Amino acid sequence: MTDGQPLLQSRDGGVLTLTLNRPHRKNAINRDMWASLGEALTTAANDPEVRALVLTGAGGAFCAGLDLTGGEPGGHPLDVSGRGPGAHPLDEIRRANEIALRLHHLPFPVVAKVTGVAVGAGWNLALGCDLVVATPESRFSQIFVRRGISVDFGGSWLLPKLVGLQQAKRLVLLGEMIDAAEAHRLGLVTWVVAEEEIDTFVGDLGRRLAAGPPVAMTQSKALLNEGADRTLSDALAGEARAQTVNFATADAHEGIAAFLDGTDPVFTGEWAVK
């Protein structure tokens, strides 16, 4: 792939890395980047070789949200379909929302590697990942209110679940910039790692996630995502169904055998019903 493309892709075994690549605008998202990201997420979700995904940004920033300038090739961010000024904004935003859902429903773990700023839709893009790794220099803001618009890209759903309603209102209604330490204290960042160590840390994390049992991890991720909106009875029923699926894979037998033998399991996700 070339540096002129809005999204770069690389593979390391079962780990796919997607890099937002508009560093001259701190990776602010325009129409071309939306389209590339949506296509890449769809392709990854259907690729059995992908076992984990890392989402990051080029040039020392994660993502500055939507590119509101609309003054360069790629067009206005709300025109995600490329249909031009006659398109209704609500239709265009719905198309962007489809990307948030694709990210949320990916069947494997997703890690956001955040260097520099993650603001607005860019921060909510990171929060839509399963785990977030940042550096001490990273900065975060639900900046929407400062632009005269309301929270989007899933922030109204993600934030109350992660930090509670009152802190979510604080972040959204004030639009304050917070540092990585504050984001970590609130539970919005999983790890804070020195900038010179973050590549190694995330590389190791991706390999550890990719080495896990793919079917069981898919089940667990879905159960955790769904559990936030379910009763305990619903959650227990879902867990029972998931375990039934897990025990129909070779991974469950491999994990138990490796435990008994004192060896490291090798997970494949293969169906094992005779």
Side-chain angles (χ1 to χ4, degrees):
M1 309 206 52
T2 67
D3 290 342
Q5 294 180 291
L7 186 75
L8 305 180
Q9 301 188 42
S10 63
R11 291 281 287 268
D12 179 11
V15 183
L16 171 66
T17 297
L18 300 180
T19 303
L20 307 177
N21 189 43
R22 299 184 72 227
H24 61 294
R25 298 207 58 82
K26 295 185 178 179
N27 303 314
I29 305 171
N30 66 353
R31 185 181 71 226
D32 290 344
M33 186 180 284
W34 276 132
S36 298
L37 182 59
E39 181 180 350
L41 294 177
T42 298
T43 300
N46 292 288
D47 185 344
E49 299 301 315
V50 176
R51 303 273 288 266
L53 187 148
V54 174
L55 183 62
T56 190
F62 182 75
C63 179
L66 293 179
D67 187 344
L68 298 176
T69 65
E72 61 180 31
H76 195 281
L78 294 185
D79 183 22
V80 266
S81 69
R83 292 189 295 151
H88 195 287
L90 183 57
D91 291 335
E92 303 308 318
I93 292 172
R94 283 173 177 160
R95 288 179 174 84
N97 287 347
E98 290 173 3
I99 297 172
L101 287 172
R102 286 179 216 175
L103 177 65
H104 181 72
H105 290 301
L106 285 175
F108 40 73
V110 183
V111 178
K113 182 171 76 172
V114 178
T115 58
V117 297
V119 301
W123 190 9
N124 292 336
L125 182 63
L127 293 179
C129 299
D130 301 305
L131 302 166
V132 180
V133 185
T135 70
E137 296 76 23
S138 301
R139 297 293 181 270
F140 305 86
S141 175
Q142 294 289 324
I143 204 166
F144 304 97
V145 69
R146 298 191 182 186
R147 304 293 180 258
I149 56 179
S150 56
V151 59
D152 64 14
F153 209 71
S156 64
W157 186 86
L158 290 162
L159 284 166
K161 286 176 168 47
L162 291 168
V163 301
L165 184 58
Q166 190 174 78
Q167 286 293 343
K169 288 179 177 178
R170 165 210 161 184
L171 293 168
V172 170
L173 298 181
L174 294 177
E176 299 171 321
M177 188 75 73
I178 65 172
D179 61 19
E182 174 74 353
H184 184 261
R185 186 186 69 79
L186 290 170
L188 297 168
V189 165
T190 321
W191 296 278
V192 179
V193 180
E195 185 172 0
E196 62 272 18
E197 299 174 2
I198 192 170
D199 288 346
T200 300
F201 183 92
V202 172
D204 178 66
L205 177 62
R207 286 186 288 273
R208 288 165 57 198
L209 292 169
V215 175
M217 293 184 78
T218 295
Q219 301 284 330
S220 290
K221 176 175 172 175
L223 287 166
L224 290 169
N225 283 341
E226 295 163 1
D229 298 314
R230 290 186 170 186
T231 66
L232 177 58
S233 295
D234 291 336
L236 290 169
E239 290 172 1
R241 288 191 295 270
Q243 291 292 42
T244 301
V245 172
N246 294 331
F247 279 109
T249 69
D251 289 345
H253 305 286
E254 170 71 7
I256 294 170
F259 169 72
L260 294 175
D261 295 341
T263 58
D264 292 327
V266 177
F267 296 120
T268 64
E270 293 177 356
W271 186 251
V273 174
K274 303 295 186 181

